[in-house]
Amino acid sequence: MLISFFSLSGSPGVSTAVLALTWSWPRDAVAVEADPTGGHALAVFDPDGALGRRGLLELTVAARKTPLHHAMSAQLVTLPNGTGRHHLLPGCRGPLESDGVPWASLAGLFREFKTVDVLVDCGRIRAHGAPRAVMAASDLVVLVLRNDRHSLARAVRSFELVQREAGLTASGDGSLVAVVVPAESQGFPPAEVAKVFAAHGVPLAGVLAKDPAAAAQFSDLFQPSRRFPTSPLLSSTRVVAQELGRRASTREALLRSTNVVRFPPHPGPPSVHMAPVPAVRPIPVPRPNHGGEPDDAG
């Protein structure tokens, strides 16, 4: 399955949401940093640069001589959650690099994965160089927005624009859903948000918990405390991941049964399975504290 995430403007936490959801995803998954303004997730998990330069630019260069699916496997970083099933494809380091990424070819490749789900951080939907080819090829497109008055009002006004910019075929067909992330102030009840969005044909697929300490592990530097695996953020992402996976799977089956062609197929092998990811130096994740010993702060 291919799922794209985007925002309307500002920094509502799309990158953090995508990494946290990939971390908790029930199937094998890859988080792709496709924000054209650049990504920094590699520095979060490998601040010393021990893994070298990896990412979309290196993938683009390698794909000139190597089949795209093999070139991609060599650029992946295994997320240190102890499963070995969840990976990161780091993004470009800025707009100049992003301009050279073959989004159409990558969208075709992502669609061919049969046993790996791909979660793509597309950044702002109207940014220069936004990966619209990836969004148009997606089984599900997810609007990530803050739970505050201005963000919610703007979303309601922009649903038609979003459908057009993302290349979606029709409104109300289940292709577009929303995920709400916490704002600084007290937000609106999820049931109220869901009711308003449903009136415009956009389901609310979930709400992520307000948990700054856990969120910082995906946006600043990965130094988790013992509480991290059972943190409110990860507890909420497990629920939202199940819901997004269910909706994406349902729409994928619907489109397949109606023979809808969303995107020209990638000219590679008919069934691509991701090559083994090279072993990387794991970052230890502390186990949850179930005993009586004192826990770390945060």
Side-chain angles (χ1 to χ4, degrees):
M1 293 183 294
L2 173 58
I3 305 176
S4 292
F5 298 76
F6 71 96
S7 66
L8 289 173
S9 64
S11 302
V14 179
S15 299
T16 296
V18 170
L19 285 171
L21 286 165
T22 303
W23 186 279
S24 304
W25 202 252
R27 292 173 19 119
D28 290 11
V30 176
V32 179
E33 281 192 301
D35 186 338
T37 63
H40 69 278
L42 183 59
V44 172
F45 296 105
D46 183 36
D48 299 327
L51 300 178
R53 296 189 63 170
R54 297 190 186 194
L56 286 169
L57 177 64
E58 290 71 25
L59 167 60
T60 302
V61 173
R64 297 171 184 169
K65 299 180 179 180
T66 308
L68 192 56
H69 57 289
H70 287 303
M72 176 175 166
S73 293
Q75 299 303 321
L76 297 179
V77 174
T78 303
L79 293 180
N81 60 1
T83 67
R85 301 171 51 206
H86 303 126
H87 310 284
L88 164 70
L89 176 58
C92 295
R93 284 163 282 276
L96 291 179
E97 291 187 4
S98 299
D99 286 344
V101 175
W103 295 121
S105 296
L106 285 175
L109 174 67
F110 296 158
R111 287 221 47 78
E112 289 174 357
F113 290 145
K114 303 303 181 185
T115 60
V116 179
D117 296 333
V118 182
L119 284 63
V120 186
D121 171 10
C122 296
R124 290 186 294 113
I125 194 169
R126 302 205 77 183
H128 171 73
R132 292 182 177 83
V134 175
M135 288 187 274
S138 296
D139 297 302
L140 195 68
V141 178
V142 183
L143 168 62
V144 179
L145 71 161
R146 292 195 183 281
N147 187 359
D148 61 55
R149 183 179 304 277
H150 298 296
S151 297
L152 298 177
R154 179 170 185 174
V156 169
R157 296 194 303 266
S158 303
F159 284 145
E160 184 177 346
L161 167 68
V162 167
Q163 295 278 350
R164 183 173 66 251
E165 291 287 333
L168 304 180
T169 55
S171 61
D173 68 344
S175 57
L176 175 66
V177 301
V179 167
V180 170
V181 298
E184 293 297 328
S185 58
Q186 181 68 34
F188 294 88
E192 184 177 335
V193 176
K195 182 178 180 180
V196 173
F197 283 13
H200 293 81
V202 178
L204 177 64
V207 178
L208 299 187
K210 188 173 184 177
D211 188 354
Q217 307 308 311
F218 298 111
S219 61
D220 187 10
L221 182 62
F222 188 74
Q223 293 180 318
S225 72
R226 289 191 179 95
R227 295 192 181 108
F228 177 69
T230 56
S231 62
L233 176 62
L234 292 186
S235 296
S236 66
T237 57
R238 283 188 281 270
V239 175
V240 176
Q242 290 283 355
E243 178 64 11
L244 291 176
R246 183 188 69 80
R247 288 181 178 273
S249 179
T250 298
R251 186 166 184 266
E252 180 187 37
L254 174 64
L255 293 173
R256 186 169 55 244
S257 67
T258 54
N259 295 318
V260 173
V261 178
R262 289 163 289 173
F263 199 80
H266 179 69
S271 180
V272 173
H273 295 271
M274 199 167 60
V277 180
V280 297
R281 177 173 55 85
I283 302 175
V285 179
R287 298 178 178 273
N289 179 24
H290 298 301
E293 64 187 70
D295 204 348
D296 295 346

